[in-house]
Amino acid sequence: MTEKFRKYNGQYWLIALVVGVVLPWLLKLLSVSRFHQIVWLLFVADFILAAVVGWLIRRSARTGWLVWLLPVFCFVGLYLFFPTYVYYLALVDLGISYLAYGLTAPRKN
């Protein structure tokens, strides 16, 4: 199971699912105020994780399409649990992930 998890980049899928969908659902379930959801989840957690994930993907010499995972799952979470004016933050997540991916040198073997 662990080998298949690594082969199909399961760690990136898991991070994207938890941060993009489960965390917004959990915040809504706990009745955290909309302001704190947007500030802490979207601006702090999403943007930092987008940069870290983009950096990790490039450093581990993984395929570039993994950069799309976090923004796509974040868009799904935003669509399900947030008002329409925050959908654009998924594009910002994509930009940050791609920027971190592009500015990082691949690991030298």
Side-chain angles (χ1 to χ4, degrees), residues 83-105:
T84 57
Y85 62 86
V86 295
Y87 293 167
Y88 298 108
L89 292 175
L91 289 173
V92 175
D93 275 348
L94 177 62
I96 291 171
S97 293
Y98 184 71
L99 189 63
Y101 176 81
L103 291 177
T104 305

Side-chain angles (χ1 to χ4, degrees), residues 11-28 34 37 41-42 45-47 49-50 53 68-82 86-87 89-90 93:
Q11 67 271 25
Y12 300 114
W13 286 91
L14 186 63
I15 290 170
L17 181 67
V18 168
V19 172
V21 179
V22 174
L23 193 58
W25 172 77
L26 185 64
L27 290 174
K28 186 171 182 143
R34 181 67 68 191
Q37 287 178 7
L41 172 67
L42 299 178
D46 272 0
F47 292 171
L49 278 171
V53 167
W68 286 84
L69 277 180
L70 187 65
V72 166
F73 278 97
C74 285
F75 180 78
V76 170
L78 292 171
Y79 180 76
L80 294 175
F81 303 109
F82 285 94
V86 295
Y87 293 167
L89 292 175
D93 275 348

Side-chain angles (χ1 to χ4, degrees), residues 29-49:
L29 184 71
L30 295 174
S31 298
V32 176
S33 73
R34 181 67 68 191
F35 172 77
H36 288 290
Q37 287 178 7
I38 292 172
V39 168
W40 294 109
L41 172 67
L42 299 178
F43 286 113
V44 176
D46 272 0
F47 292 171
I48 290 172
L49 278 171

Side-chain angles (χ1 to χ4, degrees), residues 2 37 51 62:
T2 310
Q37 287 178 7
R62 303 276 186 196

